[in-house]
Amino acid sequence: MKALVLSGGAGTRLRPITHTSAKQLVPVANKAVLFYGLESIAEAGITDVGMIVGDTAAEIEEAVGDGSQFGLKVTYIPQERPLGLAHAVLIARDYLGDDDFVMYLGDNFIVGGISGLVDEFRGNRPDAQILLTRVADPRAFGVAELDPSGQVVGLEEKPDRPKSDLALVGVYLFTPLIHEAVRAIEPSWRGELEITHAIQHLIDSRADVRSTVITGYWKDTGNVGDMLEVNRMVLEGMDRRIDGDVDTASETIGRVVVEEGARIVNSRIVGPAVIGSGTVISNSYVGPFTSIAENCRITDSELEFSIVLRDSSIQGVGRIEASLIGRHVEVTPAPSVPSAHRFVLGDHSKVQITS
């Protein structure tokens, strides 16, 4: 069995971060989202991975390499532009051959991994198996319709009027029959080859398409709010570890990770939080659910429920929360200027000013 990992896409919902960085490499608890998926694939006993890459191919390849750091063998498959999930299967045909495979969206996060799902698929070997979860607003997802027995009878991509609240999670398992389906469908109104259409083709052809409804934690980390929520969840599962230098004037409370080479000076860190190697925090407060990457500087500031990427500095700001701060960012106080009012007032105006 092989894996097909999708690591292309523009990441428009995470801009401006993704103007200069691949969305799959934005860190959660100081580790790229993509790496969690690759670790799950390796834990499921899969070693051969085809990775779909687009405009950010060079960055993805630099971070993942040949896959050996994860116990994997990675082959890169370029996609000129993001033309849909089924298009990714189409262009990976030669790599996948006649093997079964799991398709994993590189910006998705699933707690507990996929080992159980892969074992179930290997044991029963349906033509396709999809993962579903209940969501509050299914209009932003592919949506599945099940009959009373739980059989998948229909799929829709981002419907205006969803027939259920069951959204497709970004993990799919296929036999080689899917290759016939992706060749049979036409582009959608979005100009993309939709994987939901390909699976619907299998259903219409009376293929064995099964579903598993998960109740555990899943997130598509496509926007800032979801990134912060996943960061919170991962940090809650971390154990306390102080490998860096914490001076006697500082206090660390709860599940705090201070990596080797980090320094905490006259500051208070309340976990769960992680402080990356080479980072210096001085005269500051870092609150729960915060990840600060390597080589950052936090001085005379307060920070909570946020993600700070590497080589950034925050100096002299009162409080920052629920924020995603990119690489090589500088946050400082604005220079004080005299307050003033500027008007263009028409005839017979009456203005009251409190100042």
Side-chain angles (χ1 to χ4, degrees):
M1 192 170 186
K2 291 177 179 173
L4 185 66
V5 177
L6 276 59
S7 299
T12 54
R13 291 178 294 159
L14 273 175
R15 288 177 178 166
I17 297 294
T18 50
H19 279 308
T20 54
S21 179
K23 63 178 180 177
Q24 298 85 3
L25 296 181
V26 177
V28 167
N30 286 1
K31 182 165 66 176
V33 171
L34 175 61
F35 290 3
Y36 291 97
L38 294 176
E39 289 170 354
S40 294
I41 289 167
E43 289 168 2
I46 299 170
T47 56
D48 292 330
V49 175
M51 188 166 293
I52 303 292
V53 290
D55 291 343
T56 59
E59 188 179 10
I60 295 288
E61 291 183 29
E62 181 181 2
V64 176
D66 63 2
S68 58
Q69 62 180 306
F70 308 99
L72 302 172
K73 184 171 67 174
V74 173
T75 300
Y76 294 97
I77 304 168
Q79 185 181 37
E80 290 186 6
R81 29 190 201 105
L83 295 174
L85 304 187
H87 181 260
V89 176
L90 191 68
I91 64 174
R93 179 68 177 94
D94 289 343
Y95 172 78
L96 294 169
D98 293 326
D99 292 319
D100 296 347
F101 67 98
V102 55
M103 183 168 74
Y104 196 113
L105 274 59
D107 60 353
N108 275 227
F109 187 93
I110 300 174
V111 170
I114 61 171
S115 295
L117 181 69
V118 170
D119 289 343
E120 180 183 350
F121 180 81
R122 283 171 165 155
N124 300 321
R125 203 168 179 267
D127 297 310
Q129 187 162 345
I130 59 177
L131 212 57
L132 305 174
T133 191
R134 299 191 184 278
V135 296
D137 184 4
R139 292 174 298 175
F141 303 93
V143 176
E145 180 184 4
L146 308 183
D147 68 13
S149 68
Q151 184 68 32
V152 183
V153 295
L155 298 173
E156 293 181 284
E157 184 65 32
K158 298 181 175 63
D160 291 331
R161 296 182 178 179
K163 295 179 181 178
S164 80
D165 62 352
L166 291 169
L168 276 79
V169 174
V171 177
Y172 309 79
L173 296 108
F174 297 116
T175 66
L177 193 61
I178 191 65
H179 297 299
E180 176 187 327
V182 299
R183 289 194 303 269
I185 61 174
E186 298 291 334
S188 67
W189 62 270
R190 300 192 302 168
E192 297 186 1
L193 291 176
E194 310 285 0
I195 198 65
T196 48
H197 292 178
I199 300 172
Q200 184 66 53
H201 179 84
L202 293 178
I203 295 170
D204 295 340
S205 303
R206 300 190 180 279
D208 184 7
V209 177
R210 303 186 189 182
S211 66
T212 300
V213 178
I214 63 170
T215 56
Y217 192 89
W218 164 78
K219 277 290 185 183
D220 169 4
T221 60
N223 60 53
V224 172
D226 287 339
M227 286 291 304
L228 293 174
E229 180 62 20
V230 171
N231 190 65
R232 178 197 65 77
M233 193 282 307
V234 175
L235 288 175
E236 283 186 330
M238 298 182 72
D239 295 326
R240 179 180 173 88
R241 177 167 52 85
I242 308 295
D243 293 335
D245 180 33
V246 179
D247 73 2
T248 56
S250 297
E251 183 180 25
T252 60
I253 301 172
R255 294 187 299 277
V256 174
V257 175
V258 180
E259 299 287 1
E260 185 176 356
R263 290 196 297 124
I264 314 297
V265 180
N266 192 35
S267 297
R268 189 167 188 255
I269 316 294
V270 179
V274 57
I275 313 300
S277 175
T279 287
V280 178
I281 297 176
S282 59
N283 304 309
S284 295
Y285 165 78
V286 175
F289 313 124
T290 301
S291 297
I292 302 174
E294 63 271 21
N295 300 320
C296 292
R297 297 291 183 271
I298 313 295
T299 306
D300 298 321
S301 301
E302 296 185 2
L303 188 64
E304 188 168 290
F305 189 47
S306 295
I307 299 173
V308 182
L309 276 59
R310 61 179 173 83
D311 300 304
S312 291
S313 67
I314 299 171
Q315 300 185 33
V317 297
R319 187 174 181 87
I320 294 174
E321 62 182 24
S323 298
L324 174 57
I325 296 172
R327 299 172 297 181
H328 300 280
V329 169
E330 294 183 7
V331 181
T332 57
S336 59
V337 295
S339 60
H341 303 286
R342 181 177 295 179
F343 303 107
V344 176
L345 302 175
D347 296 347
H348 308 292
S349 296
K350 292 183 179 180
V351 178
Q352 293 181 327
I353 300 173
T354 301
S355 59

